[in-house]
């Protein structure tokens, strides 16, 4: 069965689906995106992703007339046509196609909307098989990382460095030496004193939907927890490091820059939170 994409109002075979070469997403990265996981036809945290999409669009003054409810109908149709019941949905909205000129088009053009889906399984039930390595790199992104923009060049370069180092993620740190987030995930630690920590929201990190869902799962656990910044040094000395994200779920990092973290195995916080998160999305 040929994969199908939704492109600006129609469903096309993926291999023929295309956008205009003057699309502002292509030329300027002038767009917003979302990635959602779906498990057994149940979209994980769909309301959070759609709310964040609406917020991101607002922050870049991009007016999409389709409502979140209408977007959900299209997402469902893309999933149905691709026979994806468990996998990932990708959606991207750009400021549309117009003669190349940096300011917004004087006469507004129709935003471009692309939605695709592909099968991808849930993480293995054995958390040991869901661990990864990370490297650390300076965060050289722009000042509005809270907007889920398609401008991902620094993230792409960081992720490529991680891949070349045999690692899953690049964990980024700011000029003061505080960890911001991963190139495509939020970062959490259990610090040397046993406190679970993740950076508070602000313009320097993406407000992760998985982060929010995991925070909600934490409410009735006895882990000491604080939304506080932590340094690279705290990261290196952590008992546990784990990532959250739509493609990472809750993913333990057991090696950092080639050195073992904690006892080198997934710790109790990541184990509990992966289990709770998988239950939350109906995958356990
Ligand atoms: N990335 N931080 C960054 C920089 C991200 O790109 C992502 C997600 C996250 C986690 O957000 P969420 O929990 O809502 O997925 C944090 C997606 C998966 C991607 O770019 O593929």
């Amino acid at each position: 069965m040929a994969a199908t994409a939704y492109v600006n109002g129609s469903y096309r075979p993926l291999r023929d689906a295309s956008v205009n070469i003057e699309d502002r997403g292509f030329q300027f990265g002038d767009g917003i995106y979302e990635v959602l996981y779906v498990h057994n036809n149940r979209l994980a945290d769909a309301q959070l992703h759609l709310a964040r999409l609406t917020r991101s669009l607002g922050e870049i003054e991009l007016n999409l007339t389709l409502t979140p409810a209408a977007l959900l109908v299209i997402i469902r149709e893309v999933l149905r046509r691709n026979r994806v019941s468990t996998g990932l949905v990708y959606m991207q909205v750009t400021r549309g196609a117009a003669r190349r000129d940096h300011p917004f088009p004087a006469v507004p053009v129709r935003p471009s909307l692309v939605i695709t889906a592909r099968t991808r399984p849930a993480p293995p039930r054995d958390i040991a098989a869901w661990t990864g390595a990370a490297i650390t790199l300076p965060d050289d992104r722009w000042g509005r990382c809270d907007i889920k923009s398609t401008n991902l060049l620094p993230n792409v370069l960081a992720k490529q460095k991680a891949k070349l180092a045999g690692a899953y993620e690049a964990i980024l740190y700011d000029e003061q030496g505080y960890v911001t987030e991963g190139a495509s995930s939020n970062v959490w630690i259990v610090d040397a004193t046993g406190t679970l920590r993740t950076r508070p929201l602000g313009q320097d990190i993406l407000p992760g939907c998985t982060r929010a869902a995991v925070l909600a799962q934490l409410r009735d656990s006895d882990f000491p927890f604080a939304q506080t910044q932590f340094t690279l040094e705290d990261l290196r000395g952590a008992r546990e490091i784990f990532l959250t994200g739509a493609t990472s779920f809750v993913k333990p990092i057991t090696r950092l820059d080639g050195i073992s973290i904690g006892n080198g195995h997934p710790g109790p916080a990541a184990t509990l939170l992966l289990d709770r998160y998988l239950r939350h999305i109906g995958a356990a």
Side-chain angles (χ1 to χ4, degrees), residues 4-97:
T4 300
Y6 173 91
V7 186
N8 295 328
S10 55
Y11 296 90
R12 308 240 178 92
L14 189 66
R15 61 172 178 275
D16 303 328
S18 58
V19 290
N20 193 300
I21 62 162
E22 290 202 303
D23 192 279
R24 292 178 62 91
F26 178 58
Q27 296 195 330
F28 296 114
D30 187 1
I32 294 301
Y33 77 105
E34 279 295 329
V35 178
L36 290 85
Y37 178 68
V38 57
H39 194 85
N40 281 345
N41 298 311
R42 213 168 109 180
L43 286 158
D45 304 315
Q47 299 312 324
L48 294 179
H49 284 279
L50 290 169
R52 185 173 63 189
L53 181 81
T54 303
R55 177 184 180 273
S56 294
L57 290 170
E59 291 299 311
I60 70 160
E61 299 170 45
L62 204 170
N63 184 24
L64 182 73
T65 48
L66 281 172
T67 61
L71 288 172
L72 261 185
V73 171
I74 302 170
I75 289 172
R76 292 246 160 253
E77 184 59 14
V78 170
L79 288 167
R80 192 188 69 76
R81 287 184 186 235
N82 287 286
R83 294 196 202 137
V84 171
S85 55
T86 294
L88 291 173
V89 174
Y90 177 76
M91 55 194 296
Q92 175 171 325
V93 186
T94 77
R95 210 178 303 278

Side-chain angles (χ1 to χ4, degrees), residues 33-35 49 52 141 145 148 152 155 181-186 205-211 244-247:
Y33 77 105
E34 279 295 329
V35 178
H49 284 279
R52 185 173 63 189
R141 299 173 302 161
C145 295
K148 200 162 173 61
L152 289 173
N155 308 60
E181 60 181 336
S184 67
S185 60
N186 292 113
I205 65 169
L206 188 76
C209 298
T210 319
R211 177 189 182 281
T244 56
T247 50

